[in-house]
Amino acid sequence: MPGQKILCVAEKPAIAKAVAGHLAGGRLTTHNVLGSQYVKNYEFTYNFPLWGNCEVTMTSVLGHLTGLDFDSRYKNWRSCPPSQLFEAHTNVTIDQDKKAIAENIAQQARWSKVLFIWTDCDREGEHIGSEVRDQAIKGNSRIQVKRARFSNTEKNHVIQAARSPIDLDERQANAVAARIELDLRIGAAFTRFQTLSLQPLSAKLENQILSYGSCQFPTLGFVVDRYYRVRNFKPETFWLIKVVHKRDNIKVNFNWKRVHLFDRAAVTILFEQCLDSKLAKVTKVQKKPKSKWRPLPLTTVELQMQGSRYLRMNSHEVMAVAEKLYQKGFISYPRTETDQFARDMDLKALVRKQIQHQTWGQYAQSLIDGGFQQPRAGRNNDQAHPPIHPVNHVGPGALDANEKKVYEFVTRRFLACCSEDAKGEATDIEIELVPEVFHAHGLVVLERNYLDVYVYDKWESSQQLPQFKLGETFEPTEANMTDGKTTAPSYLTEPELIGLMDANGIGTDATMAEHIQKIKDRNYVQTRPKAGGGRNQVQEFIPTVLGVALIEGYDDVGLDVSVSKPFLRKEMELKMKAICEGRKSRREVVEESLEQYREVFVKTQRELDALKRSVTKYVVNEGRG
DNA sequence: GCAAGGTC
């Protein structure tokens, strides 16, 4: 008969359910947790090598169990000078909506010998694990604490993890604790200071929170940066030589190897020399096979970039819809950095589920009939979740318009991953019209393969090139000198913004869309459909006068490290890493960073007039001539 | 009324 009791706790209900299912082998009972809509307790027996035959309760939390906030005496914004928030007393609290979940853990811990933690194996997961541990100890101060090391919920992998528990990584939990404290203190101090000192400048700012955050400000910075580049752009005239030759009734455009030059006299001289040469000589005729690679397995960042580019939705909407599809069991977990499928995953089974689909079912069938290829593997693996993929077929009518678009994208992407690259043949012809070189490029798409299902990628055959022989000479039909102007860059688009955030470590895959939404809600930026976007209607970002005023104001303050650039956030990331590697303690990092931000704060306070001038110039005087 | 990070 089972002796000891083991309490297992996962980061989310879906993991608890999957793990319990594998360990219980079908014999388990499910109990609702009073007061929590999503969390369930699964009970079964299991024979752990380490603890023997045990009664197991497997349950979960919903992400973080606790939050950090200032002591209630600082609740009122005027209760203290904002600078005091750098050292004000804080408390760890359990949110009202998490009370029942926390109580469940304490209750279950009371009779358990061991707490076995099954949170995701990443930094945040380690911290969530420490929150769970603290809660379990409240119910049973003598409980033993272990954690499972797992990176997916395949049966064998889960069983292996149950066999070899490890310890919680205090360092990773501490790194997150440092991040939480710094974000709170710095965010609240600057937000209150900015709002209280700038709001009185104009009635337009009434009821407007002027927030600062280590992610939202650099995000705004990217938008403003591009705005300046667009605004400060001065078109430049350039000149170029174009050669055209007509053969077999095909007009071939030869492009100048120098593309264009900004010196008219120089181009004129070269052009005249070309004309003097009269005859062009073919110096290269090359045909070579060319592939267009099928896409990599889908990550969250990629879903947001491509979604905001092709689906007429913004990244925030794409994520909200993906979350819904996940909850309904149609797609896999939508927050992942992994762009490689595990070797042992049965991808063909997933392809097979799409055969019945009326639009791409036939394509899925063709993969099963021999077209299937193992997907390319990218370089990223978060060791927690597989790439985003469809897990079940969805009948027509089960989804609303936006859900349909996202599900379609995820599925087409998945099928494309399991397909062959597109194949083509490229022709390059180079001619010399002494002293200059020109070239023409042609492409014939021979096999479309993945392109047939992945309608978002375009790869088209160009006009057929006539035959040219190496070494032959001919007199070009036309040679012209023309001019043109450089064109201004365009405003930042949503996919570009997400790409910049990703490259600079601003936010996580799960929060980038929220930061973008936040700077819209704060009236720092506006979006509009980019002109000429055609069917796709990608959004472009333009800062508001308020957004420009804030960034310019801080520039005028003359800080050593700009608050609108990604450096400070990057530094915090490095410090978290230092904690994880044991090179620094949590205290050291918090003290160091607070010291650094205090300095920025003091300087900003001292130069407040610069900030006020900027806001007055843009916001208050807006529209007066 | 502040942040950013989990998840529903």
Side-chain angles (χ1 to χ4, degrees), chain A residues 116-127:
Chain A
F116 195 10
I117 294 165
W118 288 76
T119 49
D120 291 359
C121 289
D122 52 26
R123 259 185 345 216
E124 295 294 331
E126 223 58 31
H127 188 269

Side-chain angles (χ1 to χ4, degrees), chain A residues 14-44:
Chain A
I15 301 280
K17 187 177 184 182
V19 171
H22 291 320
L23 298 184
R27 284 194 302 277
L28 81 174
T29 55
T30 306
H31 303 267
N32 286 322
V33 172
L34 202 65
S36 177
Q37 201 184 337
Y38 304 101
V39 173
K40 298 205 166 13
N41 292 343
Y42 300 96
E43 290 177 7
F44 53 92

